Amino acid sequence: MAIASNKTLCFICKKEKITYPCRGCSKEFCLIHLTEHQQNLNEELNHIINDYDQFKQTINEQKQNPQDHLLIEQINQWERNSIEKIQQKAQQCRNIVIESSQTFIKETEMKFEDLSEQIKHIHGENEFNEIDLNYLTNQLIKITKELNDLSDISIKEGSQSFINEISIIFMKKPKFNKWKQNAITVVGGNEGGEGLNQLNWPKGIFIDKNKNIFIADHDNHRIVEWKYNAKEGQIIAGGNGQGNQMDQLSWPTDVIVDEQNHSIIIADNGNRRVIQWLNQTQQILIKNIHCFGLVMDKYGYVYVSDHKKNEVRRWKIGEYNNEGTVVAGGNGKGNRLNQLNYPTFIFVGEDQSVYVTDQDNHRVLKWRKDAKEGRIVAGGNGKGENLNQLSYPQGVIVDDLGQIYVGDLGNDRVMRWCEEKEEGEIVVGGNGRENQSNQFSRPSDLSFDNEGNLYVVDESNHRIQKFEII
């Protein structure tokens, strides 16, 4: 908290005095009420500390009494009603429950201890605000929910005629996330332009583990990075006018960050090349490719969509001198299940399944690894605005439950599709083409951060919108 230079109204007493701003709530207080405000914050911190102590007691109780688990009693009852030869199976099942519960509790306890250290540090330094308190509260709620989710384990009985054998199964409980419908503009939003606080028809984005945002600033022929909570970006590639020199870009459409070597890989669409920037040194990785979308999987493969050849190819990092491997499309332009029509953004799942936005077919296809054709997982019912349709879809991402999110550019909305469903649902947007916080004008690429907040490239509003998870 810094001393203000002019007299302003105190938020509490409404009198004109020398005031001091609180960085947490952004309100101004006179000296007397600043002290009172700090005391209130101290009381809130003490409440949080008490909640943390109660949570620690809960963890200790579960550690000390693992046999109290409800499933253990069910196993014991089954054992008593069965004959001697199933006792070994019963003990095996007990061990699975105890081991999985204790492992999870240990992991949760480690998270809790880390947060406890943060509380001690904040309390000791005596420098904190509402932002810090909200963070601590949200983290406690999160790990409490994780601990309670231990109940997502059940018993599966067999159907043998002699005995009913049991085993332990873990159910993945579906959870349908929701987001606030009014977004926060985190990048741009200052009309189209080339200033460091502006974008000009952005396309693809990448968000790293620190919530820094990398943007393919398409019409400015550059890649910009906006640090978390920054008011303007910094140019990290291109920005030297449109061209094909090594320090220039032409209509870049997508960007990914290889966090292993801190390099960036760019779909330099206008120059028909994929280029890598590492410590201000440029290298062409792939030539003569009408690249649009980029993605990297956990095994170190880079996937590139080619909107002219209507295919997606895959390369191993460091092996770009070959032609790569076709993993989707590659059978000419068309609307059959083994064809694509102007593929744009792509997503790769844990099993290396490739999700492709098939823009001009108004659909998203999923190609399993080594498959000869894809399967429609969103759209595919012609161009339109019904819930079973898409209109020139762009960005695609898939969450941990396999739910597919699509930037529905022509309908100015983001849709969520479950693979087995006949239609999708509107997640955000769908309120007309304008620039209000609940509206889009040509939404394209999508991304999640590590907290589940949803980011949308609002293309012709020249901004990136962040929708906070509820």
Side-chain angles (χ1 to χ4, degrees), residues 351 353-356 364-368 371 373-377 404 419:
D351 60 354
S353 293
V354 179
Y355 298 79
V356 189
V364 176
L365 291 180
K366 176 182 179 180
W367 293 63
R368 294 193 179 277
E373 64 179 30
R375 183 163 62 90
I376 299 172
V377 293
I404 302 149
E419 278 194 38

Side-chain angles (χ1 to χ4, degrees), residues 176-189:
F176 296 93
N177 290 331
K178 294 184 178 181
W179 291 265
K180 294 180 180 179
Q181 295 300 295
N182 292 295
I184 302 168
T185 300
V186 291
V187 175

Side-chain angles (χ1 to χ4, degrees), residues 221 240-245 248-250 268 271 273:
H221 313 291
N240 299 302
Q242 182 183 8
N244 61 5
Q245 301 301 311
Q248 293 180 306
L249 299 173
S250 177
D268 191 10
N271 286 321
R273 66 188 184 185

